[in-house]
Amino acid sequence: MTTHPAPPDAGPAAYLRRRTGLIVPLLLLVTGVVLGVGTLTMDVPANVASPGPQLFPTIVAVACVVFAVLLGVDVLRRPEPAQVAALTSATTEAPPTQAHDIADGAEEAEDAEATRPRSNRWAVTGVVGTVVAFIVLLVPLGWLLSGALLFWGVSRALGSRRPVFDVFLSIAISSTVQLAFSAGLGLSLPPGILAGVF
C-alpha cells in the first residue's frame, strides 16, 4: 500500500517549509539592525568634517534593511514549488522503510529534482574562510594587501576562473577604497607592512 505525503499547503509547518528562503532576509535584517545600532552609538570626535565616519555604515545598514524587506516580501509572494518542498521534506523526514513508497511518483520526483535548489557548500566555505583571513590579516598586512586578498578570495570562491585578472582587479578595487577613505573622508585605513610607503 502506497502512502502519500500530506498536502504541501497543510498547516503552519508546511507553510514555513515552502518559505525556508526567509532565513537569508532574516540574517540580512539582523545585520542591518546591528550595524545601524553600532553606527548610532559610534563615538565621533567633534572636529570630524562632514560627511564623517558614520556615512558609509549608515548606507550599508539602510541597504541591508531595504534588501531584507524586499527579499522577504519576494519569498512570501513566491514560495518554493509545492513539489520541491514535499520532496525535500519527504526525503529528509521519511524513515528508510518508506523510501520505496516515496520513489513511486517517479515523474513528479524527477520534475521536482530538476528544480530543486542546491547549496554550494564550497563557495560558502571559501567566502567565509576568505573573510576570516581578511579579519586576521588586516592589521599586520594593512588594508591594501588584505583588502585585495578579500576581493580576490571572494571572486575565486564564487567561481571566477581568471586568477591573474582577478589579482589586478582586486588590487585596483582595494586601492580605490584606500583613496576614497584617505582623500574623500580624511580617514586612514591600517597601513600594515606598507607603513611609510603610502
Side-chain angles (χ1 to χ4, degrees), residues 68-150:
V69 171
L70 293 176
L71 282 172
V73 169
D74 185 57
V75 171
L76 291 173
R77 288 183 58 206
R78 298 185 304 164
E80 244 182 359
Q83 296 91 345
V84 175
L87 176 67
T88 304
S89 64
T91 54
T92 56
E93 295 172 5
T97 56
Q98 295 179 1
H100 66 282
D101 294 334
I102 296 169
D104 287 343
E107 290 183 5
E108 291 183 9
E110 287 176 10
D111 292 341
E113 187 67 27
T115 60
R116 182 177 178 186
R118 299 186 184 278
S119 62
N120 190 341
R121 293 187 180 118
W122 289 112
V124 172
T125 304
V127 170
V128 171
T130 301
V131 171
V132 170
F134 166 74
I135 293 169
V136 171
L137 297 173
L138 178 60
V139 173
L141 283 185
W143 163 258
L144 198 59
L145 297 178
S146 60
L149 174 67
L150 173 69

Side-chain angles (χ1 to χ4, degrees), residues 5-194:
D9 289 325
Y15 178 85
L16 291 176
R17 190 179 304 122
R18 292 187 60 199
R19 290 159 182 86
T20 54
L22 287 173
I23 294 172
V24 173
L26 182 62
L27 291 174
L28 201 56
L29 180 63
V30 169
T31 302
V33 169
V34 169
L35 187 58
V37 170
T39 303
L40 291 175
T41 58
M42 181 188 298
D43 290 330
V44 181
N47 60 351
V48 172
S50 181
Q54 291 178 308
L55 175 65
F56 285 121
T58 301
I59 292 172
V60 173
V62 170
C64 283
V65 172
V66 169
F67 283 124
V69 171
L70 293 176
L71 282 172
V73 169
D74 185 57
V75 171
L76 291 173
R77 288 183 58 206
R78 298 185 304 164
E80 244 182 359
Q83 296 91 345
V84 175
L87 176 67
T88 304
S89 64
T91 54
T92 56
E93 295 172 5
T97 56
Q98 295 179 1
H100 66 282
D101 294 334
I102 296 169
D104 287 343
E107 290 183 5
E108 291 183 9
E110 287 176 10
D111 292 341
E113 187 67 27
T115 60
R116 182 177 178 186
R118 299 186 184 278
S119 62
N120 190 341
R121 293 187 180 118
W122 289 112
V124 172
T125 304
V127 170
V128 171
T130 301
V131 171
V132 170
F134 166 74
I135 293 169
V136 171
L137 297 173
L138 178 60
V139 173
L141 283 185
W143 163 258
L144 198 59
L145 297 178
S146 60
L149 174 67
L150 173 69
F151 298 128
W152 184 82
V154 169
S155 68
R156 295 293 292 167
L158 295 180
S160 176
R161 296 292 172 259
R162 301 183 295 176
V164 176
F165 174 78
D166 292 340
V167 167
F168 287 108
L169 183 62
S170 299
I171 291 173
I173 293 172
S174 181
S175 302
T176 302
V177 172
Q178 176 90 26
L179 288 173
F181 268 80
S182 60
L185 297 175
L187 300 173
S188 59
L189 295 172
I193 60 174
L194 298 177

